Amino acid sequence: MASIFKKALTIFLVAFVLAAPTAAYERIVSLYPGHTDNIVALGGQSRLVGLSKNDDPSRLPELPRFAPNVGAEALLALKPDLVLTRTLVEKQNPELRGVLERAGVPMMLIDPPSWSGFVAYLRELAPLIGVAPQTAEAQLAQTCDEIRQTAAARRGGRPAPSVFVEATAKELHTCAPDSWAAHLIELAGGANTAAGAEPIRRGSAVAPWGLERVMKLLAEGLDVYLVQHGPMNRASLDEVKARPWAKALAAVTVAQIPEYWLSRPSLLGLTAGGAELIRIFYGE
């Protein structure tokens, strides 16, 4: 009888541990801007004590910023109870985790999600800042609905504008069909003309396209040539318009959008990027 009771108690305790929400943290260092954006969007900015140097300069400017190769001592000086990062950053600084954890500070890796994985990402991130997963999921659904409804109202029954995304100027790569950028363009009412592009490698957000295929799109009547601007593509609008083939863009809306709005998986990026795409597609 006692053994049965102990077994039942063990099963109950295991189930309780698995079902219990992740503890919220009070002093978080975020070493990836996407995590920062989502923490801010979910109302957890007061829990942040340090950011990545790649974060938006206007985002919490009073907080210290750190490069990927930051030493553990600089982070420990902030007395964090969690350092939140991604696999790419850890690869650039492989010694950091060991030093932090020996000092009693956990380091958690959460990689940027795909569009389809964004709900699971939010449900993992939200409890870290004391937000219920279902609240984060509802916020995402509301944001998407607002973008979709605004785009439909502005479109007013007109055909969806045909859009080409220049993800990188080199070899004119575009966004992969299953990328965050491609989904956001569709959500904002645009039609991705490079939907047949094949990613450079499985899971990549960019895909080869090339000048010849761009010229074909322009000849067929492209509406919007969208230049993603950021670390992947430093080309300015002036540089685009100075290219030898730029005359072919004469009848096309050529616009630039920040990479962190178009391609970074975040609630803030959805809101700002969706609004900017709608403005580009349909005017002020």
Side-chain angles (χ1 to χ4, degrees):
M1 186 73 176
S3 62
I4 295 175
F5 174 76
K6 287 181 180 179
K7 185 178 293 185
L9 180 61
T10 300
I11 293 172
F12 170 79
L13 290 174
V14 169
F16 177 80
V17 169
L18 292 176
T22 304
Y25 295 89
E26 299 294 335
R27 299 183 61 81
I28 301 172
V29 174
S30 170
L31 295 180
Y32 170 58
H35 297 332
T36 304
D37 287 356
N38 286 303
I39 288 171
V40 171
L42 294 172
Q45 61 268 21
S46 64
R47 298 173 185 265
L48 292 167
V49 296
L51 306 179
S52 161
K53 71 169 188 176
N54 295 320
D55 269 285
D56 183 343
S58 66
R59 181 96 61 239
L60 303 172
E62 71 280 6
L63 296 184
R65 311 213 167 210
F66 303 101
N69 63 349
V70 60
E73 295 78 10
L75 300 184
L76 291 172
L78 299 175
K79 299 181 180 179
D81 53 11
L82 176 67
V83 173
L84 188 60
T85 185
R86 59 181 294 196
T87 300
L88 180 62
V89 175
E90 186 181 45
K91 287 181 178 178
Q92 296 172 314
N93 195 351
E95 307 298 325
L96 182 62
R97 176 193 290 272
V99 180
L100 289 175
E101 292 187 346
R102 284 195 294 273
V105 178
M107 187 168 100
M108 185 177 295
L109 302 181
I110 306 179
D111 285 328
S114 63
W115 183 272
S116 61
F118 193 54
V119 169
Y121 164 87
L122 288 178
R123 292 185 68 88
E124 182 177 5
L125 182 70
L128 303 179
I129 57 171
V131 174
Q134 57 269 31
T135 299
E137 188 172 348
Q139 185 171 331
L140 170 61
Q142 181 180 346
T143 300
C144 289
D145 285 344
E146 289 173 354
I147 295 170
R148 194 178 293 111
Q149 291 169 12
T150 302
R154 295 289 298 278
R155 183 174 167 184
R158 291 174 288 171
S162 56
V163 183
F164 176 78
V165 177
E166 178 187 297
T168 69
K170 184 180 180 181
E171 300 178 6
L172 291 180
H173 286 72
T174 190
C175 62
D178 198 34
S179 65
W180 184 271
H183 283 285
L184 182 52
I185 286 167
E186 180 182 358
L187 186 67
N192 177 22
T193 56
E198 295 185 4
I200 293 176
R201 56 186 176 277
R202 186 175 180 180
S204 175
V206 297
W209 194 256
L211 180 57
E212 183 178 345
R213 297 170 83 183
V214 168
M215 297 303 290
K216 187 174 185 295
L217 292 177
L218 291 169
E220 292 170 349
L222 186 69
D223 293 315
V224 179
Y225 189 94
L226 190 63
V227 181
Q228 173 178 266
H229 185 72
M232 285 199 299
N233 188 12
R234 297 294 186 183
S236 67
L237 287 183
D238 287 341
E239 290 170 339
V240 172
K241 293 175 181 178
R243 292 171 182 169
W245 51 272
K247 288 183 179 179
L249 296 169
V252 179
T253 297
V254 182
Q256 183 174 286
I257 185 168
E259 182 181 317
Y260 55 84
W261 283 358
L262 184 64
S263 296
R264 180 186 296 164
S266 84
L267 289 167
L268 291 183
L270 265 182
T271 301
E276 180 64 5
L277 288 176
I278 291 169
R279 186 194 67 79
I280 291 168
F281 295 166
Y282 306 112
E284 297 292 347

